[in-house]
Amino acid sequence: MIGSTWLTVPAAIAIGIGISAAVHLVVSATRTEPDRDAGASPRTALAGTVLIVAAVATLGYLVGATVGGAPGVGLPIAVLSLGAPRALRTRRSAETRRRVREAWPDAIQSLVGGLLSGRSLHQAMCDLAEAGPEALQPFWRRYRRLSGTLDQTAALSAARDEIGDPFVDRLVEVLIAAGEVGPASAIDILTDLASAAADDLHFENRVASAGLEQKINSRVVAIVPSIALLVLVWTNGAAREYYSTSTGVTVAAIGAVVSGTGILIVDRLGRLTAEPRVFGVGSASSGGRS
């Protein structure tokens, strides 16, 4: 097993960072959405991210070094652990974006139903703030609030700019056009819009599914060498002794850097080009309420 000098200092660092990260996560989880918007500065967000990444990397190192019985084994595990916070954040962001986008066809159909029942498009959109799909209710609440001082076009544009999603940009532009015509034409426009939004979502899901296998393969290729090293050192005394020396630690560190660099390169090459935003902030002028 590894000597106490290899574990005492990292363990103390891990405990301190882990406690700080836990406090940071608890505080972030208990803050309300307005508090986050008003009080979260870029510097604070960066400090929290660095804290969490440092905690995950340190704990990853301790797990690898303890289980493997050699300090060198902890380095590849620590590098792999660095990707966990980013992967979690990316997944949560993608899930939120997916739920918002998938809610739009239902929301548009609700607008059609509102128009058919005799309500104006503005009234139908305000109704969605409480009765619409849950993922889009914050958007419609912003629209309802902004429409108290702005006209319908400016309120939609301002709410759209807060989301900053090109998919939403296109839908909102059609909603703006629908608000400038009569109810009968608006119903036809919105019906076509709901169908087009559903087709776009279907295409996006097909693209994501097509790249899923390659993404899984790249992760497996990156993880297997570190796991194999962990098993080798855990079951082989000679390997454990080697990776407890300075030479073994250096070899493991080089391997960890190469593995981490490979993951970054694969992620970069496999990243889909984001759709550009055609309608930027401030594309519509504000005016009085319609």
Side-chain angles (χ1 to χ4, degrees):
M1 297 298 292
I2 58 178
S4 59
T5 55
W6 285 101
L7 283 178
T8 303
V9 175
I13 295 174
I15 292 173
I17 293 178
I19 293 174
S20 300
V23 172
H24 172 77
L25 290 174
V26 170
V27 172
S28 298
T30 55
R31 293 170 66 185
T32 62
E33 198 65 33
D35 291 337
R36 293 192 186 99
D37 295 339
S41 65
R43 181 176 297 180
T44 301
L46 177 61
T49 301
V50 171
L51 190 63
I52 294 173
V53 169
V56 170
T58 305
L59 292 176
Y61 168 79
L62 287 176
V63 170
T66 303
V67 174
V73 184
L75 297 176
I77 304 300
V79 170
L80 291 179
S81 301
L82 287 174
R86 178 175 177 271
L88 179 60
R89 174 174 295 183
T90 301
R91 182 177 179 82
R92 290 178 60 185
S93 176
E95 180 66 19
T96 300
R97 184 171 61 253
R98 182 189 62 81
R99 287 190 292 104
V100 168
R101 292 188 173 192
E102 290 182 349
W104 271 101
D106 290 339
I108 297 170
Q109 291 292 355
S110 297
L111 293 178
V112 173
L115 291 175
L116 291 174
S117 66
R119 300 182 67 79
S120 69
L121 181 59
H122 169 72
Q123 292 170 333
M125 289 190 292
C126 289
D127 291 342
L128 292 179
E130 304 299 336
E134 184 177 355
L136 287 178
Q137 286 182 5
F139 173 85
W140 297 117
R141 291 193 189 105
R142 284 194 293 270
Y143 166 77
R144 185 175 61 184
R145 183 182 70 251
L146 292 168
S147 64
T149 55
L150 304 174
D151 63 30
Q152 181 173 304
T153 297
L156 280 171
S157 298
R160 173 201 66 196
D161 292 337
E162 290 185 22
I163 293 183
D165 188 334
F167 180 84
V168 177
D169 288 350
R170 290 185 276 111
L171 299 182
V172 170
E173 285 301 313
V174 179
L175 285 178
I176 292 174
E180 298 174 352
V181 299
S185 298
I187 290 174
D188 292 337
I189 292 173
L190 293 178
T191 301
D192 292 340
L193 178 61
S195 177
D199 290 342
D200 287 348
L201 290 173
H202 180 65
F203 176 75
E204 289 183 0
N205 291 333
R206 288 179 58 188
V207 171
S209 298
L212 181 60
E213 182 179 356
Q214 288 80 2
K215 183 177 293 186
I216 293 175
N217 290 338
S218 67
R219 295 296 185 272
V220 171
V221 170
I223 292 174
V224 165
S226 298
I227 301 301
L229 176 62
L230 179 62
V231 173
L232 172 66
V233 174
W234 188 25
T235 57
N236 189 291
R240 183 163 55 249
E241 292 180 3
Y242 174 76
Y243 284 101
S244 296
T245 65
S246 58
T247 303
V249 171
T250 302
V251 171
I254 294 174
V257 171
V258 172
S259 178
T261 303
I263 294 176
L264 293 177
I265 293 175
V266 170
D267 281 350
R268 182 67 178 178
L269 295 176
R271 184 181 305 170
L272 296 176
T273 303
E275 180 182 355
R277 291 192 65 196
V278 178
F279 306 100
V281 177
S283 60
S285 60
S286 62
R289 181 179 177 179
S290 60

